[in-house]
Amino acid sequence: MPRIAILTGGGDCPGLNGVIRAAAKTAMLEFKAEVIGIEDGFDGLVHDRVRRLNYFDVSNILTQGGTILGTSNKANPFAYPVEDAQGRVTFEDYSDRALRTFNSIRADALIVIGGDGSLTIAQKLTRLGIPCVGVPKTIDNDLYGTDQTFGFDSALVTATEAVDKLHTTAQAHHRVMILEVMGRNAGWLALGAGIAGGGDVILIPEIPYKLESVRRYIHDRKRAGKRFSLVVVAEGARPEGGDVVVQRMVADASEARRLGGVGNKLRNEIEEATQIETRATILGHLQRGGTPTPFDRLLATRFGMDAARHALAGRSNIMVGLRGPDIVTVPIEEVSGRQRLVDPKGHWVATARAVNTCFGD
Ligand code: F6P
């Protein structure tokens, strides 16, 4: 009997369960295949935490956020965090354990639902002899090889609703309101929510800002009778010649740096520079939660079906992706280790500039 394994790796996002459901149902109904769920991403592969999924396990989960399998953004089998008696963390190669688990479940292929970190691991696992098919997820929308990742649309709705809600207080109190959104090194969320919510200033990693440009813009708005301004800032935004704000280092993660806090820094700087009362809101993990939007449910289901079909047809080392209206495949090596960032000369930025949005440049 054919058999596939599925795992979800990296940060969670809305739509993961939609992919699991579609891939598992396609495998069960179209291929009469068995489906094995790996728990907590690659951690379950390293520590042999696996379970058989039946049809009812994957029913009625399409609208649920999170992942029924659990996930981890620390468990890289090739650089697995191990703590010694003194609490010091070193990174060991545990890929042999991952291979042992995979061989023991006798699956034909592994579907890896994850971002660039997980897909880079998938590429290395393929080289070890585990046939992998990737599915691109992340609220950051920063993956190469796909027009859009699933999860982004849901996060965009949350962020845009936040901009809308902050607008009312900005207007009522004649304040500058700052919203900090996630996105790591990519500005897609800030830019999308800024455009969709009618933000006045949008600050993204791809366009370093000058505080003086932001000050002048807000000042000019005030002189023109607009006594409030809305600033949407990406967590990875940085001033020209300056650096990003790091919120914390996660010692046992192979990618340790967590961004965050630029909103609070800007609150002080903008208030001082403009003499307008300023408040900052950090949206944080609210962006990763909740039910997926219809767009993400549809995309997750399309990705899941194709991933299962490819995996069970013996294809590997590929990722499914969205290109225009179609679901395509791309070699994982074209995707791994690369980021798809906002093009400062691209259509989204041009659109925002056309409606007089300030990028602080
Ligand atoms: O990649 C998704 C993401 O939410 C980023 O936008 C953010 O920088 C990071 O994960 C936060 O990670 P954690 O959940 O470990 O704080």
Side-chain angles (χ1 to χ4, degrees):
M1 187 181 259
R3 186 177 292 155
I4 55 165
I6 305 182
L7 67 78
T8 50
D12 72 329
C13 77
L16 287 166
N17 287 325
V19 180
I20 295 169
R21 169 181 174 270
K25 286 192 173 184
T26 304
M28 291 173 194
L29 299 175
E30 222 173 281
F31 295 86
K32 308 285 171 256
E34 279 183 358
V35 180
I36 308 293
I38 314 276
E39 291 177 0
D40 302 332
F42 294 105
D43 210 44
L45 203 58
V46 166
H47 294 294
D48 195 17
R49 286 200 310 279
V50 303
R51 67 185 143 102
R52 168 107 186 261
L53 297 177
N54 67 39
Y55 192 84
F56 291 102
D57 291 325
V58 297
S59 283
N60 217 5
I61 60 170
L62 176 61
T63 59
Q64 282 174 30
T67 158
I68 60 162
L69 293 175
T71 188
S72 165
N73 56 6
K74 296 175 179 173
N76 178 351
F78 297 91
Y80 193 86
V82 182
E83 203 177 311
D84 67 14
Q86 282 73 45
R88 274 189 310 258
V89 176
T90 54
F91 292 93
E92 310 281 332
D93 186 351
Y94 276 6
S95 54
D96 53 335
R97 299 183 187 209
L99 186 60
R100 209 178 308 139
T101 303
F102 184 77
N103 288 339
S104 74
I105 56 180
R106 297 191 318 280
D108 301 297
L110 173 64
I111 294 180
V112 174
I113 311 169
D116 63 343
S118 303
L119 294 173
T120 303
I121 293 169
Q123 189 199 357
K124 290 184 178 170
L125 289 177
T126 303
R127 279 199 224 120
L128 282 188
I130 302 180
C132 291
V133 173
V135 181
K137 75 85 229 198
T138 167
I139 63 162
D140 305 336
N141 202 28
D142 60 352
L143 275 188
Y144 233 81
T146 184
D147 290 352
Q148 196 161 319
T149 53
F150 76 85
F152 174 67
D153 187 66
S154 306
L156 184 59
V157 167
T158 301
T160 304
E161 277 173 9
V163 179
D164 290 349
K165 287 184 173 156
L166 292 174
H167 234 121
T168 52
T169 303
Q171 218 157 357
H173 286 263
H174 318 298
R175 283 179 181 165
V176 175
M177 297 296 278
I178 301 172
L179 177 70
E180 178 186 311
V181 301
M182 284 183 163
R184 288 200 307 171
N185 305 317
W188 293 109
L189 259 180
L191 181 55
I195 295 173
D200 306 299
V201 179
I202 301 176
L203 304 177
I204 58 174
E206 295 85 347
I207 306 178
Y209 62 86
K210 291 192 273 290
L211 186 64
E212 174 52 21
S213 305
V214 176
R215 185 204 64 78
R216 206 175 329 115
Y217 177 87
I218 292 173
H219 176 77
D220 290 351
R221 265 176 68 81
K222 192 177 172 192
R223 279 224 320 229
K226 298 264 193 189
R227 294 164 65 201
F228 71 94
S229 287
L230 251 145
V231 179
V232 184
V233 58
E235 63 180 2
R238 60 187 167 86
E240 219 176 71
D243 211 351
V244 292
V245 180
V246 176
Q247 184 206 122
R248 63 164 68 205
M249 299 299 280
V250 184
D252 53 350
S254 49
E255 201 190 316
R257 198 176 68 162
R258 295 289 181 277
L259 301 174
V262 65
N264 286 332
K265 178 174 161 276
L266 278 167
R267 181 199 55 214
N268 297 337
E269 292 171 348
I270 290 177
E271 190 167 79
E272 197 183 308
T274 62
Q275 294 299 303
I276 301 174
E277 202 173 354
T278 303
R279 295 281 190 276
T281 300
I282 299 179
L283 199 51
H285 290 82
L286 288 176
Q287 292 157 101
R288 296 230 302 252
T291 186
T293 57
F295 180 92
D296 275 339
R297 294 178 198 183
L298 180 58
L299 188 59
T301 305
R302 296 178 74 199
F303 278 166
M305 176 190 79
D306 273 28
R309 285 183 173 175
H310 291 305
L312 285 157
R315 295 184 200 108
S316 86
N317 210 17
I318 52 168
M319 180 192 86
V320 295
L322 178 69
R323 190 164 305 150
D326 301 318
I327 305 297
V328 297
T329 59
V330 280
I332 290 189
E333 53 260 24
E334 271 182 28
V335 176
S336 68
R338 292 171 85 178
Q339 284 180 322
R340 195 177 68 92
L341 301 177
V342 171
D343 177 1
K345 296 197 169 22
H347 198 264
W348 281 33
V349 173
T351 303
R353 290 198 198 273
V355 294
N356 198 27
T357 306
C358 167
F359 283 91
D361 53 346

